[in-house]
Amino acid sequence: MEYNTQRKKLIIPEYGRHVQQLVDHCMTIEDDDERNKFAKSIIDVMGDLNPHLRDVPDFQHKLWDQLFIMANFELKVDSPYPIPTKAEMNTTPKKMAYPSNESKYRYYGTNVKKMIEIAKSWEEGDKKEGLKYVIANQMKKNYLKWNKDQVEDEVIFNHLEELSNGSLKLSSKEALMNVPVQTNSNTSYKNKNRNNNSNYRNQKKNNFSKNKNK
């Protein structure tokens, strides 16, 4: 019995061993016309294995590229698309830039940082003062969403001043709005069921006592 571990490793396993064997056979055909016809037949078979992708743009281009990959770029046929090379397919992708705007107050979010930058560009006046309190209230909401249940306004004011590099300062003359503490929906549901069960048991006891007294 021959096991798959003893066979040749599949280059693209998704197409299975039979398609790989067709590609290997195509490479052995000496006549150019016959080899081109056989290659097109392989493309049709590969397309039938992915019927949901037939309407996807450049799907045929992808199939031809995969045909050359399975042939280890050694198949010589006339392709309707540029023939890829091994060097192109093995090119290392460009390194992506890692976000460098992280801070220790990540729970305030990116939108708060954008609002702070906008507020810094405004001229001093009532509008800017109002915007500072809007930002501070939003910061308080975000803080309570990810941290403890309560926070002093002075803490929010200090964080706002720090995040704005000292440009936006607030005092405790006007208190920030009270943010209701968000409770877990599952916990609320359990508490509700617990109260309903307790009321049901009490009602049942009262009915039993009434019937007993009769």
Side-chain angles (χ1 to χ4, degrees):
M1 189 175 193
E2 187 180 11
Y3 294 96
N4 285 335
T5 54
Q6 299 171 323
R7 296 176 178 177
K8 180 182 177 181
K9 184 178 180 181
L10 295 176
I11 299 176
I12 303 181
E14 289 80 0
Y15 287 109
R17 192 165 299 278
H18 292 300
V19 175
Q20 182 64 56
Q21 290 174 346
L22 290 174
V23 176
D24 294 340
H25 175 71
C26 185
M27 295 172 62
T28 64
I29 300 176
E30 296 181 359
D31 186 74
D32 292 342
D33 292 336
E34 289 295 327
R35 190 167 57 253
N36 282 319
K37 290 180 181 179
F38 200 87
K40 291 179 181 178
S41 299
I42 296 175
I43 293 295
D44 292 337
V45 173
M46 293 168 63
D48 291 338
L49 295 175
N50 299 281
H52 58 288
L53 297 177
R54 286 189 177 276
D55 298 329
V56 176
D58 296 330
F59 175 58
Q60 287 290 320
H61 192 175
K62 179 180 179 180
L63 291 180
W64 278 96
D65 285 348
Q66 291 177 335
L67 174 64
F68 288 109
I69 292 173
M70 286 190 289
N72 200 23
F73 305 96
E74 297 176 359
L75 180 62
K76 295 180 180 180
V77 292
D78 298 329
S79 172
Y81 305 97
I83 299 177
T85 63
K86 194 170 186 177
E88 292 175 351
M89 290 298 177
N90 294 332
T91 303
T92 304
K94 295 181 180 179
K95 188 176 181 180
M96 295 183 64
Y98 194 79
S100 58
N101 58 349
E102 296 293 338
S103 67
K104 60 181 179 180
Y105 304 128
R106 288 180 295 177
Y107 42 82
Y108 288 132
T110 305
N111 289 334
V112 168
K113 294 180 181 179
K114 292 179 179 179
M115 293 169 67
I116 290 174
E117 293 301 318
I118 293 174
K120 288 167 61 176
S121 64
W122 283 17
E123 296 182 358
E124 295 296 333
D126 294 339
K127 288 186 177 180
K128 183 173 182 177
E129 195 69 16
L131 179 59
K132 288 193 289 185
Y133 275 100
V134 169
I135 297 173
N137 280 315
Q138 186 61 46
M139 290 173 63
K140 187 174 183 179
K141 287 182 182 179
N142 295 352
Y143 186 100
L144 296 178
K145 190 180 295 183
W146 297 105
N147 291 279
K148 54 187 180 181
D149 295 341
Q150 297 297 330
V151 58
E152 297 294 333
D153 291 352
E154 197 66 32
V155 174
I156 301 298
F157 296 155
N158 291 336
H159 289 176
L160 176 60
E161 183 177 353
E162 183 178 349
L163 291 173
S164 63
N165 295 324
S167 299
L168 304 180
K169 298 181 180 180
L170 286 173
S171 62
S172 56
K173 293 180 181 179
E174 183 178 346
L176 299 178
M177 65 180 181
N178 292 324
V179 180
V181 179
Q182 296 184 356
T183 57
N184 187 285
S185 58
N186 291 333
T187 303
S188 301
Y189 178 77
K190 290 179 181 178
N191 291 336
K192 184 177 180 180
N193 281 345
R194 190 181 295 112
N195 293 333
N196 290 338
N197 292 335
S198 178
N199 294 334
Y200 175 77
R201 286 194 297 270
N202 292 335
Q203 185 178 3
K204 194 172 182 180
K205 286 181 180 179
N206 293 334
N207 293 337
F208 178 77
S209 300
K210 290 179 180 178
N211 294 332
K212 188 176 180 181
N213 293 332
K214 288 180 181 179

